[in-house]
Amino acid sequence: MSLAHALLTALTEHQPATGFELARRFDRPMGYYRHATHQQIYQELGQLERRGWVSTHRDPEDFRCKYYRILPAGHEELLRWVHTPTEPAPLRESLMVKLRADSLLGPFALQDEIQQRIGQHRQRLEQYRLIEQRFFAQTPPATHQQRMQQLILHTGMAYEQHSLEIFAQLLEALQQAQDPPAPSDRAE
Amino acid sequence: MSLAHALLTALTEHQPATGFELARRFDRPMGYYRHATHQQIYQELGQLERRGWVSTHRDPEDFRCKYYRILPAGHEELLRWVHTPTEPAPLRESLMVKLRADSLLGPFALQDEIQQRIGQHRQRLEQYRLIEQRFFAQTPPATHQQRMQQLILHTGMAYEQHSLEIFAQLLEALQQAQDPPAPSDRAE
DNA sequence: CAACCCATGTAAAAAGTTACATGATTAA
DNA sequence: TTAATCATGTAACTTTTTACATGGGTTG
């Protein structure tokens, strides 16, 4: 149940927060590493409360809002989890399965889908670059928190950069395989 | 429902197959890109049968075994799926969440867990290298199938190689951040 | 004959997705 | 006053995980 710990982390980052605020954050910056929908988040916040890891209170000015705060037990649980090694999430790359299908039944035109992936990674990389400019261009990181935030950002950027390279290579190889450049002369 | 298509691909690769055989393959070579347990596979094979995508028959010699074969409808469905772009599976990297927690509450000793990841990627890469030696060392790929298989292998190797680099960089940065080399002289 | 691998499954629970519902506030 | 955004939720369904159950065959 790793969403619980991601939520505790998000709450540690900014407290108190409403389910809606958290959902927004899990749609973007936190969601880059751990996605969740608002439905899931409301459910999970309910569980966190039942376990005594967070407390809630309604805003007396705006009864719609319900604010969540971490309790000491939640803090301890987060620390416990951080120090417990977790298994990496198993890969699930449908494109690889499609490549296997291509090897058996193809050739198919998978280039479009690969191009899509390339576009997505390029976009994400661009977003990271903007974030870095906004937060670290003028002032180099001074505190532990800032250094770590920049490290996380750099790691994300490295991931996108590498993904980009992998798909670009794949695309090139596919293109070459499907336009075999005059296979008559194989001496050169 | 992408497990269905992964199963159809696996069956296309080697037919007929029992649930057990498929489970073994989803534990390793196919499982590198799309993991599944035997329980899931038996369930899903049942659904494939109900949908008319595969047929089954019992081995008259060994009544334990139940063999699955693709039907034309299953073949068509696989082709349809391959040509339909699928969304990439959202990332789910608990280590990144832990880094965020570290930025707020740390520093923690996350090096061990990162080392573990490095070890896992190194091992996977080694397995890929062995596979390549066994299948492509002597005879360079000649058919489309063989070229594609090698391409898949190379893509997998690139992924492991890049992951290795990302985690190695992360480890180094963490080590530097936590052994700050005499921060007294900040002019150089 | 005990331990292990082969082989197939069921059941329950947890996690995740999709669809639906509701009502308040704000901006056009 | 209509549409969009804020905000919280429920319900149904699918997918995944975990636990349990069974029985034949093989090997030490």
Side-chain angles (χ1 to χ4, degrees), chain B residues 14 19-21 32 37 44 47 50 71-72 75 113 118 123 125 132 142 154 161-162 169-171 174 183 185:
Chain B
H14 181 66
F20 193 81
E21 280 164 13
Y32 290 158
T37 61
E44 194 67 33
Q47 287 207 13
R50 264 170 269 138
L71 291 174
H75 185 82
E113 191 163 354
I118 289 178
Q123 200 182 333
L125 186 57
E132 181 162 43
H154 284 170
Q161 186 69 56
H162 287 309
Q169 257 186 42
L170 184 57
L171 190 63
L174 274 183
D185 186 14

Side-chain angles (χ1 to χ4, degrees), chain B residues 93-134:
Chain B
E93 187 42 271
S94 57
L95 245 171
M96 287 293 150
V97 180
K98 289 185 180 179
L99 285 176
R100 279 177 159 244
D102 181 299
S103 82
L104 302 164
L105 305 169
F108 305 132
L110 293 172
Q111 284 88 340
D112 284 359
E113 191 163 354
I114 297 171
Q115 278 287 10
Q116 259 186 43
R117 299 289 171 106
I118 289 178
Q120 287 159 349
H121 286 293
R122 223 193 279 285
Q123 200 182 333
R124 181 75 50 99
L125 186 57
E126 200 43 50
Q127 287 172 344
Y128 285 150
R129 286 205 177 116
L130 289 176
I131 293 174
E132 181 162 43
Q133 271 184 21
R134 247 196 305 151

